[in-house]
Amino acid sequence: MKIDFANLQYQYQRYKFEIDEAIHAVLDKSNYIMGEEITELEESLQTFTGAKYAITCSSGTDALLLAMMALDIQPGDEIITTPFTFIATSETIALLGAKPVFVDIDKHTYNIDAAQIEAKITPKTKAIIPVSLYGQPADMEAIQAIADQHGLKVIIDGAQSFGSTYQGKTDSNLGDISCTSFFPAKPLGCFGDGGAVFTNDEVLATKMKQLRIHGQNKRYHHKYIGLGGRLDTIQAAVLNVKLKYYADDLALRQAVAAKYSEKLKVKSEKLVLPYVHENAASAWAQYSIRVQGREALQKQLQDQGIPTAVHYPMPLHLQECFGYLGYREGDFPIAEQVSREILSLPMNPYLLDEEIDYIGMML
Ligand SMILES: *Cc1c(COP(=O)(O)O)cnc(C)c1O
């Protein structure tokens, strides 16, 4: 058997007719920048997420930048976040001259441990950026309560979690600003780079719309220093088709995860399975287990036609680029342990029962 990790090709084939038509409609109109497909997508995103404002942008990374710029994050400000995530979460903090302040993760969800946040708050702290890792929102009730008490902003890095929920609300509809990514391999992906920011605050929404187009409030009048951060109309056209079917795809992902967990529970001596908190529903960007002897297992699976991936092999506090922050090995023991043991199995909405059985057999 040869298993496809994300199976992007199958998804394209499934919706090919409509997607091709949508792309060609853009080509026929040549409305490549900020065409009507963008407005259509933003309205559909608002409906889907429940957030009052959805503003599309050029990537998940730029979504994080837009959010922090809108909240006026300045050099020297401190932002509390998790060290166990993709680099973009902290890279964008550092790009703005602010300082990422890490907090270790919860050993079950692998999201930021809310109980350890308060100890890291200083007079310079401006915001908390929880990441909804692998598709599951962090402990948002606790995080929002800490933020409210200390006058901090909350920006959610929901790059992996579009469509996830926490206490019945999508994670795009929580915090001051929530960010997502439409990178092809994310749960809702386009055919290149793309992203969006969400907020319920009209002032922040207006500011982010302006920041996205070079801080412009009127053509060639620049109120802020901004970004060239628009989403391409062609990507919006692709997303307009895929979003229509996204609820179905999400349900399929959740079913695949449930089948994995059912199949693998007999191996609980050897594997630690993903844990989803009762308050949350994951978008299952990844199905990630923990195992000792990961490299040998990866090789063995590869030989059986089963691709795997490691999200992520090195926590951010140990990355060379963050050496100047002065962290050391041992500072965040749970993030460090999980990064040694974590292993993502093939995950996509179209994984067949036979494939899940086969993977289960080989593990
Ligand atoms: C993918 C990802 C990003 C960045 O998104 P891009 O669209 O690739 O820029 C940021 N944060 C997390 C947690 C991600 O997984």
Side-chain angles (χ1 to χ4, degrees):
M1 220 181 263
K2 182 126 188 46
I3 293 172
D4 195 301
F5 193 88
N7 221 346
L8 299 181
Q9 183 54 225
Y10 181 85
Q11 191 180 52
Y12 170 53
Q13 294 304 330
R14 205 172 145 103
Y15 306 125
K16 178 174 165 44
F17 180 77
E18 275 184 81
I19 290 175
D20 288 359
E21 205 172 43
I23 291 174
H24 278 103
V26 176
L27 300 181
D28 287 336
K29 287 181 277 191
S30 303
N31 59 346
Y32 304 119
I33 300 293
M34 296 304 279
E36 63 206 16
E37 285 79 358
I38 296 280
T39 319
E40 187 190 328
L41 175 62
E42 291 178 344
E43 285 170 5
S44 308
L45 288 169
Q46 285 158 199
T47 306
F48 190 92
T49 60
K52 204 158 166 201
Y53 303 97
I55 298 146
T56 56
C57 63
S58 41
S59 70
T61 304
D62 288 341
L64 288 162
L65 276 177
L66 286 171
M68 282 185 266
M69 288 163 81
L71 293 171
D72 209 23
I73 297 304
Q74 294 293 323
D77 289 347
E78 294 179 2
I79 299 189
I80 293 175
T81 189
T82 166
F84 190 59
T85 174
F86 181 59
I87 185 74
T89 315
S90 280
E91 180 185 40
T92 46
I93 296 172
L95 264 175
L96 293 175
K99 182 178 173 188
V101 174
F102 297 120
V103 164
D104 208 355
I105 56 172
D106 175 81
K107 66 172 185 276
H108 301 296
T109 63
Y110 314 142
N111 280 323
I112 190 168
D113 182 356
Q116 296 189 49
I117 290 177
E118 232 161 357
K120 298 293 176 73
I121 296 175
T122 76
K124 291 184 178 165
T125 309
K126 290 286 153 55
I128 306 171
I129 306 189
V131 177
S132 306
L133 197 73
Y134 307 146
Q136 173 174 208
D139 186 358
M140 293 310 301
E141 188 175 5
I143 292 168
Q144 192 61 56
I146 294 164
D148 290 345
Q149 198 183 338
H150 295 270
L152 307 177
K153 301 294 182 187
V154 175
I155 300 169
I156 296 172
D157 182 346
Q160 303 182 4
S161 60
F162 184 77
S164 69
T165 59
Y166 179 86
Q167 293 177 350
K169 276 187 166 185
T170 68
D171 83 341
S172 306
N173 192 12
L174 292 168
D176 292 278
I177 300 174
S178 189
C179 303
T180 200
S181 164
F182 302 127
F183 181 84
K186 308 284 172 161
L188 177 62
C190 59
F191 292 173
D193 280 307
V197 287
F198 302 88
T199 185
N200 289 312
D201 182 311
E202 190 185 350
V203 174
L204 290 176
T206 304
K207 189 168 176 187
M208 288 191 287
K209 275 187 198 161
Q210 294 170 346
L211 286 167
R212 168 178 70 173
I213 308 185
H214 304 289
Q216 172 174 286
N217 57 354
K218 208 162 79 175
R219 193 159 210 194
Y220 303 128
H221 290 251
H222 303 275
K223 179 168 176 169
Y224 309 108
I225 305 228
L227 296 176
R230 295 164 299 226
L231 181 71
D232 296 336
T233 307
I234 287 180
Q235 300 302 345
V238 172
L239 288 165
N240 280 330
V241 175
K242 288 179 68 170
L243 184 55
K244 272 202 298 187
Y245 302 107
Y246 187 65
D248 299 338
D249 277 358
L250 196 56
L252 290 173
R253 271 183 191 275
Q254 287 164 343
V256 165
K259 281 179 212 160
Y260 262 133
S261 292
E262 180 57 33
K263 183 83 198 164
L264 298 181
K265 70 176 186 219
V266 292
K267 310 216 171 182
S268 60
E269 301 262 292
K270 187 177 157 196
L271 310 174
V272 181
L273 302 186
Y275 165 85
V276 178
H277 193 273
E278 59 185 14
N279 275 340
S282 177
W284 293 105
Q286 305 297 343
Y287 187 93
S288 305
I289 59 172
R290 275 165 57 204
V291 63
Q292 309 284 330
R294 176 179 65 197
E295 276 66 29
L297 180 62
Q298 268 195 294
K299 166 106 190 28
Q300 185 191 315
L301 292 171
Q302 187 64 51
D303 292 344
Q304 306 296 333
I306 303 169
T308 56
V310 174
H311 306 99
Y312 297 91
M314 192 194 281
L316 301 191
H317 67 286
L318 301 179
Q319 296 286 347
E320 188 175 350
C321 66
F322 288 130
Y324 71 95
L325 294 172
Y327 290 107
R328 291 190 191 295
E329 188 142 14
D331 284 346
F332 305 110
I334 300 179
E336 291 167 22
Q337 185 188 350
V338 174
S339 63
R340 283 191 294 269
E341 299 176 355
I342 201 79
L343 183 66
S344 299
L345 302 180
M347 173 42 100
N348 64 74
Y350 320 112
L351 215 55
L352 303 169
D353 288 2
E354 303 89 277
E355 293 178 314
I356 296 169
D357 287 345
Y358 177 72
I359 295 165
M361 221 159 60
M362 295 300 162
L363 272 170

